[in-house]
Amino acid sequence: MNKLLVIIILLVSIHSFGQAKFGEKRDQIKALKVGFITNELALTSEEASRFWPIYNVFDDKQFELRHQKMKSIKDRLEDDSFDKMNEKEATILLAQMESNEDELYITRKKFIASLKGILPPLKIIKLKKAEENFNRKLLQQYRDKGPKK
């Protein structure tokens, strides 16, 4: 019984450590992203003070939708039972996927609408480009640091 308890505690500790590491990495990436976007958009101090609170709420919501809500869908797609899925289950899963995509779209649309009173249209467009460039550079760094073949 004691051995089982020790194993459970060890597993929980490892899981917690992994979560903390992910949270730290996410915070580091977020800090880099803030600097990158601020530089790319050439935000004034007034624009930045109004922009970042709105952006952070949007970014957190987007993260939740992409990672947490999609996790159950991804888990289902990677599950062994995927090949045994019937048409009704596939229809339900597809509806969940569509709903999540709709929610992402609506969230982004509301975000852009709220930015219109803060940033000029050109900077809003530059924001989209800056996000894409940041993600591309992040992915390239990940590839460059990954295992060498």
Side-chain angles (χ1 to χ4, degrees):
M1 187 67 174
N2 285 339
K3 287 181 182 180
L4 181 61
L5 185 61
V6 170
I7 291 171
I8 291 172
I9 291 172
L10 181 62
L11 289 174
V12 170
S13 298
I14 291 170
H15 179 70
S16 298
F17 179 73
Q19 292 295 325
K21 216 173 189 182
F22 175 75
E24 289 172 14
K25 287 284 186 191
R26 185 164 185 260
D27 290 344
Q28 288 174 344
I29 291 169
K30 214 170 190 177
L32 291 170
K33 189 176 187 180
V34 167
F36 186 85
I37 289 174
T38 299
N39 186 49
E40 290 293 306
L41 298 184
L43 295 174
T44 66
S45 57
E46 182 183 332
E47 287 172 337
S49 69
R50 295 175 64 204
F51 168 78
W52 284 112
I54 293 170
Y55 185 85
N56 289 333
V57 168
F58 163 73
D59 197 44
D60 290 344
K61 178 68 175 176
Q62 184 174 259
F63 178 82
E64 175 193 337
L65 289 169
R66 284 198 173 138
H67 294 90
Q68 294 171 349
K69 289 193 175 185
M70 283 298 288
K71 183 172 180 4
S72 64
I73 294 170
K74 287 178 187 175
D75 289 347
R76 185 68 197 264
L77 293 175
E78 293 171 356
D79 192 334
D80 290 339
S81 67
F82 174 70
D83 292 329
K84 299 172 188 164
M85 188 182 298
N86 63 38
E87 289 300 316
K88 184 178 179 182
E89 292 170 326
T91 301
I92 291 169
L93 188 61
L94 185 59
Q96 289 174 340
M97 292 168 66
E98 289 173 334
S99 173
N100 196 47
E101 289 297 325
D102 289 345
E103 201 171 344
L104 271 168
Y105 171 75
I106 290 167
T107 300
R108 183 135 192 106
K109 195 169 181 172
K110 287 179 182 177
F111 169 65
I112 290 171
S114 65
L115 287 182
K116 287 180 180 177
I118 297 170
L119 299 176
L122 184 58
K123 283 190 179 182
I124 296 172
I125 292 169
K126 283 183 177 181
L127 170 64
K128 179 68 175 162
K129 187 174 189 306
E131 288 175 317
E132 289 173 1
N133 288 343
F134 179 79
N135 290 336
R136 195 173 299 119
K137 284 184 179 192
L138 190 64
L139 185 59
Q140 186 61 46
Q141 275 187 338
Y142 177 76
R143 285 181 182 152
D144 291 346
K145 290 184 180 181
K148 305 294 178 199
K149 293 182 181 179

